[in-house]
Amino acid sequence: MAWLFGQANWTWLVVLSAMSLGPSDPPAADRRPAQPAKPTTLVTISKRTTYLTEPLRSDGYPDYAAALDQRLRRGVTPDHNAVVLFWQAIGPGGIKRENREKYFGKLGIATPPEKGDYFVDLFEFDQKRGGKSASQSDRFKQLEEFEQLQDELGNVMKRPWSKAEHPQIAEWLAANEKPLALLIEASKRTQYYAPVVGETMMEMLEGGTPIAQQLRAAARALTARAMLRINDRQKQAGQEDLLACHRLGRLVSRGPTLIDLLYGVAIDTAAGAGDCCLIEWGDLSAKQAMDLRDQLARLPAAPSLPDRLAEAERYFVLDGIVTTARHGYDPVMTGFGMRKPVGMLRYLDAAYVAMVNWDDVLVQMNEWIDRIVDAMRQPTRSERTEAVKRLRHEMNQLAKKSRDSMRVSSLLWTGPRKAATEQCVKDLLGLAVSGMLSGGDAEDRWAMQRDLTKLSLSLAAYRADHGSYPQKLAELMPNYASAVPRDLFGGGDAPLHYQRRDHGFLLYSVGPNGKDDGGKTMVEANEDQGYDDLTVRIPAAP
């Protein structure tokens, strides 16, 4: 049966037919009619296993979704919660109908009407403009035209443009004027609470991901409009659009999960690219440049990555294990690459999963997550990198052992329960945990990019006063910068790279690979090149 254990990535999420029967009743002598029977669970409820010991659902298992929701909503009021205005701007379509009453009830508002003057993303707008066609060839043509329009949007976010150059983008922005105004108002609020609705953590995505996706689309619209306004000499209005994007990105990043962080990074980074356009084409005075820099510096920080891993991401992993122990294969997990066993595999897999010691799996996963959190809490980038490298090596060694057919065969004969549990842990490490190790690079890239943007605004202020950019970054101190940030990726105390070029400059960090690629970014890399410098280049053209 060694071949069975090669079915990695789905062995832990399969049909649990042997475990689908309800727990047996307690012996008659132990029954106490005066008290309701305590639910019997298939896992031990403890800090070491399930991590949460309360709140519990009526079936006796931890309610991870409710625990997270209780923490997130603490102290939040509808008048200060940006999410309230978000949904009023984008409409309720991102929440399933059966969840809307509960979801919006938690927000403290009535469910927004089905139809309204809501934000329309570019794809929906293009579809409405083009109308529906029964012809397959027409639909293919419409899709090609939309892809061209999407490329246009990407281009207009990078430099000033006019309505005559891109009339369809301009029409789309005009159609979204009211919801964009509401989103700008929402960005000024101080709280961010998106309710967690559902029995499991997986269902949380129904309330979290849709709003982040739609806010990213709206932020792209605001960035494009900022470039239009800069072109039309409406510098202040363009700057306000970019600041709203920065605030939206920070609000989204305050969500509890790694997904929230990544969406927040994407929104804030796009706005940072817009700031560079403002530097190049906005003709900022020294005061305007310094004011914008200071406003960016005052934006609230996002929760740290280790905090997300220690709570929400841990809950996702543990809730998935508990759900599998309770119900077996869950079709919702097919989105993670799981495939449903067929034929005889259904029975073989059910027998295998029934052998898993789920308590041991829970304990081991908690220990792994604790180790990852500890690695991410190391005080320096170099220490974090080394700690993550050691964890990755250990995971790879475990994966290598699980592919050793002789070892697996031996375990099957001498300890099948141990073999099943070990394989389950290995699959979970590869599927649900290894991605946690990549979050540190995203967080560090974001921090470095923010420093580059703020330093670029200090350079713009210097140029406004002196007519040219400085020869060296040290010339910014003390009037334009109290200190020059160091390169987070340079190892130790490495300086950022800066070159004055004609009427502009090149400012960059060496990026996560730690190598100086001469200011070349991932966008400029071919498949066999590992460029990943983080760059601000004024003028934008190389």
Side-chain angles (χ1 to χ4, degrees):
M1 292 178 65
W3 61 272
L4 176 60
F5 294 89
Q7 309 300 316
N9 294 337
W10 56 274
T11 50
W12 74 285
L13 287 170
V14 293
V15 179
L16 276 171
S17 58
M19 302 174 70
S20 61
L21 300 177
S24 58
D25 291 332
D30 295 335
R31 295 177 185 170
R32 298 179 181 180
Q35 299 179 355
K38 184 178 180 180
T40 302
T41 61
L42 296 170
V43 299
T44 301
I45 309 300
S46 72
K47 181 70 174 177
R48 290 188 70 232
T49 53
T50 56
Y51 190 78
L52 288 181
T53 57
E54 60 179 15
L56 300 178
R57 293 194 291 257
S58 60
D59 60 7
Y61 290 92
D63 195 335
Y64 293 96
L68 184 61
D69 188 73
Q70 288 172 11
R71 200 269 294 169
L72 294 175
R73 71 188 301 185
R74 196 175 299 136
V76 177
T77 62
D79 290 341
H80 295 89
N81 187 8
V83 175
V84 169
L85 293 184
F86 288 162
W87 288 113
Q88 292 175 7
I90 64 181
I95 302 298
K96 286 186 176 181
R97 292 180 184 276
E98 60 268 27
N99 291 338
R100 289 180 187 176
E101 183 177 356
K102 185 175 182 180
Y103 183 95
F104 291 105
K106 285 187 174 186
L107 283 178
I109 62 172
T111 301
E114 186 71 28
K115 295 183 178 181
D117 194 359
Y118 298 133
F119 178 79
V120 178
D121 66 30
L122 188 59
F123 179 77
E124 184 181 355
F125 176 78
D126 188 54
Q127 292 294 299
K128 288 181 178 179
R129 286 183 73 260
K132 294 184 178 180
S133 172
S135 167
Q136 186 175 17
S137 61
D138 285 348
R139 291 197 298 271
F140 277 128
K141 184 178 180 181
Q142 287 177 344
L143 184 59
E144 290 177 354
E145 291 174 349
F146 170 72
E147 290 176 349
Q148 294 174 0
L149 192 60
Q150 188 81 336
D151 289 341
E152 276 189 55
L153 176 59
N155 290 330
V156 301
M157 291 172 61
K158 299 174 183 176
R159 60 186 303 115
W161 58 282
S162 69
K163 294 178 181 179
E165 291 175 308
H166 303 282
Q168 290 176 281
I169 300 294
E171 186 181 346
W172 172 57
L173 294 177
N176 279 307
E177 184 175 350
K178 288 184 179 179
L180 288 178
L182 193 55
L183 286 171
I184 290 176
E185 182 182 348
S187 75
K188 299 175 183 178
R189 291 195 168 186
T190 57
Q191 297 175 339
Y192 181 91
Y193 160 61
V196 181
V197 174
E199 182 180 282
T200 67
M201 288 292 292
M202 280 301 300
E203 294 179 28
M204 171 187 174
L205 297 180
E206 296 178 352
T209 301
I211 191 171
Q213 287 176 337
Q214 293 179 71
L215 286 174
R216 186 184 182 189
R220 287 168 64 83
L222 283 171
T223 304
R225 191 174 72 177
M227 298 300 100
L228 174 63
R229 287 176 163 178
I230 291 171
N231 182 78
D232 292 343
R233 302 293 189 270
Q234 299 175 28
K235 179 172 51 180
Q236 187 61 37
Q239 181 175 315
E240 287 301 321
D241 279 347
L242 292 174
L243 277 171
C245 289
H246 283 295
R247 292 193 296 265
L248 287 174
R250 298 300 177 89
L251 285 167
V252 170
S253 70
R254 287 165 63 183
T257 71
L258 183 56
I259 291 176
D260 294 309
L261 172 64
L262 296 178
Y263 273 111
V265 168
I267 293 171
D268 190 68
T269 301
D275 295 333
C276 294
C277 292
L278 193 61
I279 292 172
E280 183 175 351
W281 286 289
D283 192 25
L284 296 175
S285 68
K287 184 179 185 307
Q288 289 171 331
M290 297 290 278
D291 284 348
L292 178 55
R293 185 203 64 182
D294 293 343
Q295 289 184 73
L296 294 179
R298 288 194 296 267
L299 291 175
S304 71
L305 177 64
D307 289 343
R308 300 170 195 271
L309 302 183
E311 186 184 44
E313 297 297 335
R314 182 196 302 269
Y315 291 0
F316 269 108
V317 174
L318 300 184
D319 198 26
I321 297 171
V322 170
T323 300
T324 303
R326 293 169 60 212
H327 301 303
Y329 173 80
D330 185 353
V332 74
M333 299 304 291
T334 55
F336 289 85
M338 304 297 101
R339 59 188 181 90
K340 188 173 182 178
V342 296
M344 285 297 294
L345 283 179
R346 289 180 299 168
Y347 304 103
L348 293 172
D349 234 28
Y352 159 59
V353 177
M355 290 190 294
V356 171
N357 183 335
W358 292 105
D359 277 358
D360 195 20
V361 170
L362 288 165
V363 169
Q364 290 192 56
M365 295 314 297
N366 269 313
E367 290 174 349
W368 271 101
I369 293 171
D370 286 341
R371 293 176 65 191
I372 293 172
V373 170
D374 287 343
M376 295 299 179
R377 291 198 193 281
Q378 294 302 306
T380 66
R381 162 79 185 178
S382 60
E383 289 174 302
R384 290 194 298 272
T385 301
E386 286 303 313
V388 167
K389 187 183 297 184
R390 289 193 295 269
L391 290 174
R392 286 194 186 279
H393 176 74
E394 191 172 340
M395 286 184 183
N396 291 336
Q397 291 300 108
L398 289 174
K400 184 177 180 180
K401 287 181 181 179
S402 73
R403 293 193 295 268
D404 186 337
S405 60
M406 293 297 293
R407 182 175 183 276
V408 172
S409 298
S410 175
L411 282 172
L412 282 170
W413 289 110
T414 61
R417 186 168 176 79
K418 180 180 179 182
T421 302
E422 182 179 289
Q423 182 67 25
C424 182
V425 170
K426 192 278 298 183
D427 288 344
L428 279 166
L429 289 175
L431 174 70
V433 175
S434 63
M436 295 182 183
L437 296 173
S438 302
D441 276 352
E443 189 175 49
D444 287 343
R445 287 174 63 89
W446 189 24
M448 191 72 261
Q449 196 68 60
R450 295 198 305 269
D451 281 346
L452 291 173
T453 299
K454 288 183 290 185
L455 189 58
S456 296
L457 288 164
S458 294
L459 287 165
Y462 183 99
R463 180 183 182 276
D465 280 344
H466 296 83
S468 63
Y469 292 107
Q471 291 287 350
K472 298 179 180 180
L473 293 177
E475 296 175 43
L476 295 175
M477 298 184 291
N479 294 331
Y480 302 93
S482 58
V484 175
R486 312 303 284 179
D487 190 346
L488 179 62
F489 298 102
D493 197 35
L496 291 169
H497 292 265
Y498 171 75
Q499 302 168 18
R500 192 176 84 171
R501 293 184 169 182
D502 297 329
H503 301 293
F505 64 84
L506 173 64
L507 175 68
Y508 68 94
S509 156
V510 297
N513 68 8
K515 297 186 298 184
D516 183 356
D517 296 317
K520 294 180 180 178
T521 67
M522 289 187 291
V523 176
E524 300 168 270
N526 297 323
E527 291 183 5
D528 58 340
Q529 296 170 325
Y531 302 152
D532 71 348
D533 287 354
L534 305 178
T535 303
V536 174
R537 185 185 285 117
I538 304 294

